[in-house]
Amino acid sequence: MHAQPSAELCLQAKGITKRYPGTVALDNVDFEVYRGKVNVLIGENGAGKSTLMKIIAGIEQPTEGELRMNGRPVKLAGTRDAAAKGIGIIHQELNLFPNMTIAQNMFIGREHTRYGMLLDHDRHVEKTRDILRQLECDLDPHTPVSRLKVGQQQIVEIAKTLTQSEMQVLIMDEPTSSLSTAEVEVLFKLIRDLKAKGLAIIYISHRLEEIMRIGDYITVLRDGKLVARDEIANIDIPWIVRNMVGHDQVLSTNRPKRQPTEEVLRVENLTLRSPEGGFILKDVSFSLQKGEIVGIYGLMGAGRTELLETLMGLHPEAEGAVYLEGKPIKPTSVRNQIDRGFALVPEDRQRQGLVQPLSIAKNMTLSSLGKYFRRLFLSSKLENSSIARMIQNLYIKAPDPKLPILSLSGGNQQKVVIGKYLLTDPKILLLDEPSRGIDVGAKADVFNIIRQLAAEGVSILLVSSELKEILAYSDRVIVLSGGRLTGEFQDDQLTENNLVNASSKK
Ligand SMILES: Nc1ncnc2c1ncn2[C@@H]1O[C@H](COP(=O)(O)OP(=O)(O)OP(=O)(O)O)[C@@H](O)[C@H]1O
Ligand SMILES: [Mg+2]
């Protein structure tokens, strides 16, 4: 239960309680952070991790309890104060300004001045380039953030924190949730460098294998309470799961063999040209049956997201043929695709999936309002019962559906977006990384719902970067590499090796 005596305590949270209206987010939590170590914090969606981090970063004040740094009590008046005391945070949600460039975003709020007044733009660009190079990222600092993919935005978010000087504690709240394997390796190298410099890292992630690799100490929260802590060297993944959810949980992998059904969707030679020349998708052909779950596997940049987007009507310039129930269709508008029964759960749920100022309930019913109109007036009873069902089925931790969406934890916001698309009663459901940011227990819930929908006849295309997940839940898997289809596997052929080999085929 106790840390090595050799490790030096850097920051300590003692007896922290945080109450929000209707919720006790943290209940008398102790948390210890050691210098030169990766201090992991884990727990289910809504367990209180981000809340504790916001308190340590000076963004929120605790209702009760105190923080100590280097043995002395500290009060953090705000983020600037925390930054001045050497605490930096990489947020779970992306906080970049899309219309500004990378360099502008990096230094926002703490611009360097020349002669005390001018913004030193050249210096920002230069410094940005340096930090990006350190992260092995060759983006141009002048690129507007709106042009970046989610993973790239996450790298900029990380880079931004590294501009802070004299850092002692660096909080990483799910830094890898949209990073590719190669990008994760770069981040891990950076973490090792920072550790060597004596920084204390606080690391939050739902990727358990990652935690086992990079972590030194682990603290588990459940329902706002501290339930366990230990050295990573003493524990294993089942220990984590047991402490997080209260019992052992396994991803069930018994994929029942399904009987062929009629074809719902057929795609022939789908091709999408890149504006910069070359192809994003090239001659992709496959079919999807009623009630079938087809996984789409591939590395970052293989064209998986673009394939789903094209089917949703977001790339009207795409070439090739698409047949829905035998009839040719042109996926040239999102509106039409929705009417035809397509729904896309986007990868960037934060930005594309939610309307921030609205309530949880309104966010959920936004895209399916048509269903709830009865003779031109809104049947709030029907609407409320659907919302209640989704909140229950997806175990969304929300004290009241009328609360603003931003009062939910990151993972629970993701579940709201998934729930919202499920309410549209789709015929063809396109899922882009549905389990991202969702805890192990909730993952199983989400996939059970996906399976249930398939059993009810919904056809599903599932993009996931997690091999185990895609193997466990797909009836068949197609693999993309560089925009081309490089493999299609089912039954005995559906193995990790086959997928990995096909994903690196040229
Ligand atoms: N501003 C707020 N107003 C009301 N409740 C809030 C607010 N912020 C967080 N909460 C609640 O506090 C609890 C803890 O949320 P927190 O964001 O800390 O969870 P988390 O462990 O980070 O989860 P996740 O893995 O989903 O990111 C949740 O029940 C959440 O709904
Ligand atoms: Mg969180």
Side-chain angles (χ1 to χ4, degrees), residues 45-46 48-51 54 92-93 173-174 204 206 409-411:
N45 296 133
K49 305 179 296 293
S50 296
T51 305
K54 285 177 191 158
Q92 177 174 20
E93 294 88 22
D173 196 348
E174 294 195 49
I204 298 179
H206 288 293
S409 77

Side-chain angles (χ1 to χ4, degrees), residues 198-211:
L199 246 82
I201 313 264
I202 305 179
Y203 193 88
I204 298 179
S205 173
H206 288 293
R207 297 184 177 178
L208 308 185
E209 285 85 5
E210 244 173 35
I211 286 173

Side-chain angles (χ1 to χ4, degrees), residues 36-37 51 83 92 108 127 175 189 232 238 261 284 387 426 434 486:
K37 303 284 175 193
T51 305
Q92 177 174 20
I108 207 150
K127 194 110 198 275
K189 192 163 146 271
I232 295 274
T261 49
V284 174
I387 293 164
T486 50

